[in-house]
Amino acid sequence: MATHVPLDKRSIQDAGACMRLGYLRCLERGKSDQKAPSAAEQILLRYGRQVGALARWGFPGGLLIAGETFADALVETRQALDAGARILFEPAFALDGVAMRADVLVRRRPLELDLIEVKAATKPDDYVEDLAVQVWVLEGLGHKVRPHLMLLDPKATLSSKSLFKRHDCGERVRALLPEVGRRVRELRDQVMAGRQPDVPFTRACRDCEFLGGCIPGLPEHS
């Protein structure tokens, strides 16, 4: 049966390791939208929001897109851009079945944007793919994007002007864009068809949270 769950950053990144993992992540996301987050998930979400709110102090005059649903946020984002807003927090965009929200977007010219992804981390390596998915969407919509990661500065102190350090990720992101596009096309086709990808099993499958769904009926010590 075909499904219309939008793709998101995490499912596209997971598809790089295993297309079936990306597919199952999409289905899980569709189900999780219907249930309340666990206590641990709520704590992580709250911490992420606090870090994001702290980072916004470095962008005075920014407008927060606060739509209750993604569809509401899309409309609010478009209205803000049409009205000439220069700095947006949490703007929403969608392209070819991929839904995304940016942390900070700074408009330098009508179609030229600085994209800033904020993470409560100090090393950029784990987040370049996350940024590449967002650039793929924005550039597919006709924008020219300069991507950055805004991470916690390990050298910062309480007396520092900022607790964050910005990393220019333009070259690394551009190198990933063709692969992001390939994953999006393949994953979208599989999800729309409701067809679980056929991929070979490897030793890495042992640690996958979806192993029981991929190989149902496994004995405890198989």
Side-chain angles (χ1 to χ4, degrees):
M1 180 182 297
T3 183
H4 300 283
V5 177
L7 310 187
D8 65 350
K9 294 184 297 183
R10 186 175 182 186
S11 61
I12 294 168
Q13 291 176 77
D14 284 343
C18 171
M19 190 57 62
R20 183 180 293 176
L21 174 59
Y23 174 87
L24 293 173
R25 184 74 67 195
C26 284
L27 299 189
E28 179 194 54
R29 178 169 171 263
K31 295 176 182 178
S32 65
D33 289 342
Q34 303 172 13
K35 63 180 182 181
S38 67
E41 289 170 337
Q42 290 183 54
I43 291 172
L44 291 174
L45 286 171
R46 186 175 302 173
Y47 178 54
R49 291 193 189 104
Q50 289 174 340
V51 172
L54 185 62
R56 292 172 195 156
W57 284 98
F59 302 91
L63 174 65
L64 176 63
I65 302 299
E68 292 187 6
T69 68
F70 185 78
D72 291 340
L74 277 176
V75 173
E76 193 175 334
T77 298
R78 173 45 53 196
Q79 290 174 341
L81 291 173
D82 289 345
R86 195 178 74 84
I87 301 174
L88 296 178
F89 304 133
E90 299 292 333
F93 299 89
L95 175 70
D96 292 343
V98 181
M100 59 148 283
R101 297 190 74 161
D103 287 331
V104 182
L105 207 62
V106 179
R107 183 157 59 171
R108 293 178 287 114
R109 295 179 181 177
L111 291 176
E112 294 184 13
L113 307 172
D114 281 346
L115 171 67
I116 300 103
E117 178 73 5
V118 180
K119 296 293 184 184
T122 59
K123 297 180 180 180
D125 291 354
D126 293 337
Y127 306 105
V128 177
E129 280 195 5
D130 182 314
L131 201 55
V133 174
Q134 297 182 62
V135 171
W136 183 88
V137 171
L138 289 170
E139 294 201 337
L141 292 171
H143 300 281
K144 184 177 180 180
V145 183
R146 295 194 309 192
H148 301 81
L149 282 169
M150 192 169 176
L151 307 180
L152 294 172
D153 185 351
K155 297 181 180 180
T157 67
L158 292 178
S159 60
S160 299
K161 291 183 178 180
S162 174
L163 299 178
F164 297 92
K165 181 178 179 179
R166 194 184 296 194
H167 302 258
D168 184 345
C169 300
E171 289 188 10
R172 297 180 66 184
V173 163
R174 307 239 162 259
L176 287 172
L177 292 181
E179 169 63 13
V180 169
R182 183 197 68 80
R183 290 184 204 170
V184 168
R185 290 188 294 272
E186 184 174 349
L187 185 57
R188 181 185 58 215
D189 290 347
Q190 300 282 5
V191 171
M192 291 296 293
R195 181 176 61 247
Q196 184 167 291
D198 184 16
V199 298
F201 294 105
T202 69
R203 294 179 66 85
C205 296
R206 295 177 303 173
D207 301 318
C208 179
E209 63 191 278
F210 294 110
L211 179 60
C214 287
I215 315 177
L218 279 176
E220 183 178 356
H221 301 291
S222 61

